[in-house]
Amino acid sequence: MNILILFSACVLGMLCVTLELEAREYEPTRESLSGYEVPEWYHDAKIGFFYHWGPQSVVGEYWNRDVMEFCRQQGRYAGSHTAARNPPGQWGANMYPKAGKPENEQNSNYLLHKRFFGDPKEFGYKDLIPLMSSDGFDYKEMVRLLDEAGVRYFAPMAIHHDGFAMWDSEVVDEFNAAKMGPKLDTVEAVVGEARKRGIKVGVSTHVARHSWYYGGKGLRGYDVSDPRYVQLYGEGIGEGGLPKPSALKKWEDTLSELVHRFQPDYIFVDGGTADIFCDTGNYVHQDAFRRIVANYYNDGLKNGYEPVISYKRESLWKEEAIPDYEGGNLVGIAPYKWQAHSNVAGWFYRPGQSVVKSHILFRKTIDVVSKNGNMLLNLGLKGDGSMQDADIAFLKDLATWTKALGEGIFETRPWLVYGEDSQGKPKPVVENGFRGIVYDDPSRTSSARVKLIGGDLRYTKSKNGRVIYGTILAWPKESIVLRSFGRDGVGKDLKVAKVSLLGSDEKIVWKQTAKGIEIQAPRNPVFENLDWPVMFKLEL
């Protein structure tokens, strides 16, 4: 009888659990998805990476400073009206000619494609794929460098706007990296290696606009208009400027395959999700996006992992997933989790692209973290999958920086204020320009570009609230004052017991006064590069 009662209790318990799971299952609606809770791992992670790699990466082998200047014109090519800000990344969109336009009004991608590869009528985008390889794709070394740098989540490129799949896809069963180009399931290789090292894994997707991405559709004699290649080139836009139902289904099926195949901890979704609404005012893409998100969240519930998905251009409401801002920061602490993303040496491999200095990205990262955000950074791989020297150098710098300061970055939370700007003066901010947004959420925190300088301070705190970390964005050559602890500051009632400098054994001379925490400039720099941010640990 006891066994039967126990069995009955177990059965009842199982039924209760089942009912609970059924009650928690997400529906593809704003109301249901707004019940999503961001998992602790993502709050703790702070720094992630993804990479860009695809057929357009091979264009970088032909790049140099002169080509860069040609694309940007800069007044050197009188009478030419060509322009393309990110040529390799949008190669497929712009490499085919615009009907009825003379040469000097064609996009620079078209003119450069003719120079590099020949007329696109003879050498189309699909013909770039065989020029790819995996000869330099040392994914084990790449993941090792990321791991040593303290990176907590990593999302390899799964599929870009061009629709070329970087895994052995069943949906994109012809034009994928396992069958063409690299001849390797690149996503599976990276995901497996990252999981071995305990790094959360993701996938990067940009395929929401795939069906209308390529220019030149309808041009006779070009492969982009040939129905044999519709899997790569997409179906084009449908009636009324809306995607065809089959194109939406392909987007959903592609993301669903990635979810069920890899069960990714994180999915990056690019801004094509906003295109249709901005062009037509129709929410058909949002309906499909919510089906994708609900399917992902439900798979996490079913299989015991904690999913995170980010979106751009306000394509969802902030309660439904993680809002992401390309190249931008928020102007203050957000009461919700968010993400910024940026690159080191361009999105796609492009020699001649300016390399962002490490200290700039470090400053941006700590600013983002202080405002309740995560930073996602990009590697631009070459056509053979090898890493750029600039990216490798940055990862080594990041490893040095996070080894010293990681305690005040990872697993922290925002403090009462995000920080203090130099001399107490408010900073001018430049509002981010949008190509267009879907939901103009009045309660979201404004996004803008803020110039960060060495004298600025940023704060984080330990999860238990017993330690506050004050980061000054460059080495302090003079004494500094943490004004937030002064008589007019938010921390005026806090009693600091100890101040130390992370990464240093030097005894810090300090005192707490009506002005704040006054810290005498340390003698010995933590880093050789004095532009790198350093962090003071304040124990309560």
Side-chain angles (χ1 to χ4, degrees), residues 68 90 102 106 109 144 186 253 264 266 271 310 314 319 362 369 393 398 424 450 474 482 490:
M68 180 74 73
Q90 306 300 336
Q106 296 291 348
N109 287 37
R144 184 190 69 80
T186 64
D253 289 348
Y266 168 69
S310 64
E314 315 299 342
E319 295 83 7
F362 294 165
V369 171
L398 183 62
V450 180
L482 310 185
V490 295

Side-chain angles (χ1 to χ4, degrees), residues 267-413:
I267 298 177
F268 177 89
V269 178
D270 208 349
T273 49
D275 293 356
I276 295 301
F277 174 81
C278 293
D279 290 344
T280 69
N282 192 296
Y283 289 99
V284 63
H285 229 141
Q286 271 48 60
D287 294 340
F289 197 9
R290 288 191 169 101
R291 290 192 293 270
I292 288 169
V293 175
N295 173 63
Y296 179 39
Y297 289 171
N298 289 331
D299 192 74
L301 289 174
K302 178 181 177 182
N303 292 294
Y305 65 97
E306 300 175 297
V308 176
I309 189 168
S310 64
Y311 62 89
K312 290 171 59 178
R313 295 172 57 197
E314 315 299 342
S315 297
L316 298 171
W317 294 90
K318 62 183 182 300
E319 295 83 7
E320 299 179 73
I322 302 293
D324 173 278
Y325 302 95
E326 181 174 337
N329 290 29
L330 299 190
V331 298
I333 298 175
Y336 51 89
K337 196 65 182 172
W338 63 283
Q339 179 175 273
H341 71 276
S342 192
N343 66 75
V344 180
W347 297 116
F348 279 92
Y349 172 55
R350 181 173 37 160
Q353 169 75 20
S354 297
V355 176
V356 183
K357 294 181 179 179
S358 294
H359 74 272
I360 298 296
L361 292 174
F362 294 165
R363 292 175 183 180
K364 186 176 178 66
T365 296
I366 196 63
D367 180 73
V368 167
V369 171
S370 74
K371 297 172 179 175
N372 203 25
N374 281 11
M375 174 59 84
L376 183 71
L377 293 166
N378 177 69
L379 306 173
L381 304 188
K382 298 180 182 180
D384 66 355
S386 58
M387 296 177 68
Q388 299 183 70
D389 291 342
D391 286 335
I392 294 172
F394 174 76
L395 286 177
K396 291 180 178 179
D397 282 352
L398 183 62
T400 300
W401 190 64
T402 58
K403 184 178 180 180
L405 275 58
E407 175 187 333
I409 301 172
F410 305 113
E411 300 177 4
T412 61
R413 296 295 182 267

Side-chain angles (χ1 to χ4, degrees), residues 5-55:
I5 293 173
L6 179 62
F7 177 76
S8 299
C10 288
V11 170
L12 289 172
M14 290 170 63
L15 287 174
C16 290
V17 170
T18 301
L19 290 172
E20 182 183 353
L21 285 176
E22 289 178 350
R24 289 175 60 197
E25 186 168 292
Y26 291 93
E27 298 293 331
T29 64
R30 176 188 173 184
E31 292 73 22
S32 180
L33 295 177
S34 291
Y36 169 74
E37 293 185 6
V38 179
E40 189 83 352
W41 78 258
Y42 187 76
H43 280 287
D44 290 345
K46 308 304 182 189
I47 300 175
F49 261 82
F50 61 161
Y51 62 68
H52 282 62
W53 181 29

Side-chain angles (χ1 to χ4, degrees), residues 202-216:
V203 289
S204 172
T205 72
H206 309 247
V207 73
R209 61 167 60 102
H210 169 246
S211 63
W212 62 91
Y213 172 69
Y214 288 91

